[in-house]
Amino acid sequence: MNGEKQLIIDIHTHIYPVALARRAMKVAGREHDDASKLPIRENLLDRMKEEDVFLSVIQPVVTKPANQTDVNRFAREVMRPNLLSFGGLHPDCEHVIEEIEKLKDMGMAGIKFHPPFQQVDLTEERYQDMWRHINHLRFPVLIHCGSARMERPFDLYPSGVEKLIRYLPDVPVILAHMGGRSMEPKEGESLANLPENVFLDTAMSAERQDPADFFRIASEFGPARVLFGSDFPYGSEKAAIAYIRNSAFSEAEKAMMLGGNALRILGDQIRRR
């Protein structure tokens, strides 16, 4: 880096109100973790300071429509100059178009979907209007890909993304967990047919994906379309950064993945803050 400070943006983190933080760790069997490891804002800020992370993006999960207002209110309240939030959207909420407009008015940086937890098939035709309106408002989208640690019928993989991406030609679409490879990979899934506005994030790659598999997929997909994501608190920012830095990519390619690519997506949002 020739002595220059490297810009690091974590596109994929989670925090919760203090009263819910320990319950949120049950998904990883870590509800008894020390308080310093819980998914609260102060702990995330501490990890960011330790690893010199410039910006982290909160990815809230709305598991049912009834929780949507409270989840997004918290996501908006925790935003700071070094914390951005996507908004959570449940596709089956009432007046979904109005809810998308609300998220835009709240200044959310994008929209997060989690098909297994929301128990929805995002490829269904009834969601066409939702996708078209998101595209109309130029809202970036992040979608959990792969399983959610248990067998469910709603897991989404790249082949499913191909069915819905045609409604989102004008916005960045981020497939979390390397398109599912760092969760429970589904063999035979290909990223080859996805257009240039589709990105991957590295959430849980450091913990669950063989480095050779990561290098192969990121090379084939293109380092300019891979975003650093830690999945804090379930993954470690320290480990996720080292995972990229220790890869065989060039220094320029590592810099793109660690922050440059995310800056291209979020630049306007960052500059307005």
Side-chain angles (χ1 to χ4, degrees):
M1 294 297 293
N2 299 321
E4 295 181 10
K5 187 176 180 180
Q6 192 169 57
L7 179 72
I8 302 177
I9 297 175
D10 189 345
I11 198 70
H12 192 145
T13 68
H14 303 281
I15 59 175
Y16 303 90
V18 173
L20 301 179
R22 198 168 292 281
R23 187 191 312 171
M25 295 299 280
K26 285 185 178 181
V27 69
R30 291 171 46 191
E31 61 267 35
H32 302 298
D33 272 10
D34 181 81
S36 65
K37 298 179 181 179
L38 294 180
I40 59 176
R41 185 180 64 197
E42 290 72 19
N43 288 343
L44 174 58
L45 291 172
D46 285 345
R47 301 295 86 74
M48 291 170 62
K49 184 176 181 180
E50 291 169 3
E51 303 306 323
D52 204 16
V53 174
F54 169 71
L55 178 79
S56 287
V57 183
I58 313 304
Q59 299 292 345
V61 179
V62 175
T63 57
K64 51 188 177 181
N67 295 342
Q68 188 160 277
T69 297
D70 289 341
V71 168
N72 287 319
R73 182 185 298 115
F74 173 77
R76 181 64 185 87
E77 289 173 351
V78 299
M79 285 205 277
R80 296 293 186 274
N82 56 352
L83 292 178
L84 273 179
S85 289
F86 274 38
L89 183 70
H90 198 291
D92 292 335
C93 68
E94 281 192 283
H95 313 298
V96 67
I97 302 302
E98 293 178 16
E99 293 298 327
I100 297 169
E101 296 277 356
K102 286 181 185 178
L103 295 178
K104 194 71 171 180
D105 291 342
M106 291 171 73
M108 297 304 194
I111 299 181
K112 162 69 182 291
F113 294 93
H114 197 305
F117 284 0
Q118 295 177 318
Q119 299 192 346
V120 295
D121 178 356
L122 292 179
T123 69
E124 290 185 6
E125 291 189 6
R126 63 194 177 106
Y127 298 133
Q128 289 181 29
D129 288 344
M130 176 187 75
W131 295 124
R132 288 192 176 104
H133 200 66
I134 290 171
N135 187 73
H136 171 70
L137 294 180
R138 300 296 194 267
F139 244 149
V141 171
L142 187 142
I143 304 174
H144 173 97
C145 285
S147 71
R149 297 182 181 272
M150 61 185 71
E151 189 68 28
R152 294 175 187 248
F154 302 108
D155 296 349
L156 184 68
Y157 288 92
S159 58
V161 174
E162 289 182 46
K163 299 175 183 178
L164 62 85
I165 199 67
R166 62 184 182 273
Y167 305 117
L168 298 167
D170 304 313
V171 298
V173 178
I174 304 163
L175 307 186
H177 307 292
M178 294 296 290
R181 291 295 297 185
S182 63
M183 297 304 285
E184 295 296 332
K186 186 176 181 181
E187 297 306 325
E189 287 288 324
S190 173
L191 298 163
N193 297 323
L194 297 175
E196 291 295 315
N197 64 313
V198 178
F199 296 77
L200 307 177
D201 83 22
T202 67
M204 296 305 292
S205 290
E207 288 77 15
R208 304 188 63 178
Q209 188 177 13
D210 183 88
D213 188 59
F214 167 74
F215 182 76
R216 177 183 62 82
I217 291 175
S219 296
E220 292 173 355
F221 202 65
R225 297 165 65 197
V226 177
L227 309 173
F228 159 59
S230 70
D231 208 11
F232 172 91
Y234 311 109
S236 157
E237 286 194 321
K238 180 177 182 178
I241 292 168
Y243 187 79
I244 293 174
R245 285 181 170 160
N246 293 335
S247 70
F249 288 104
S250 70
E251 292 303 311
E253 290 168 334
K254 293 174 187 178
M256 286 193 296
M257 290 187 281
L258 284 170
N261 297 334
L263 185 62
R264 285 193 289 125
I265 293 173
L266 300 174
D268 288 343
Q269 281 278 347
I270 296 169
R271 284 187 285 272
R272 283 198 292 267
R273 299 174 64 74

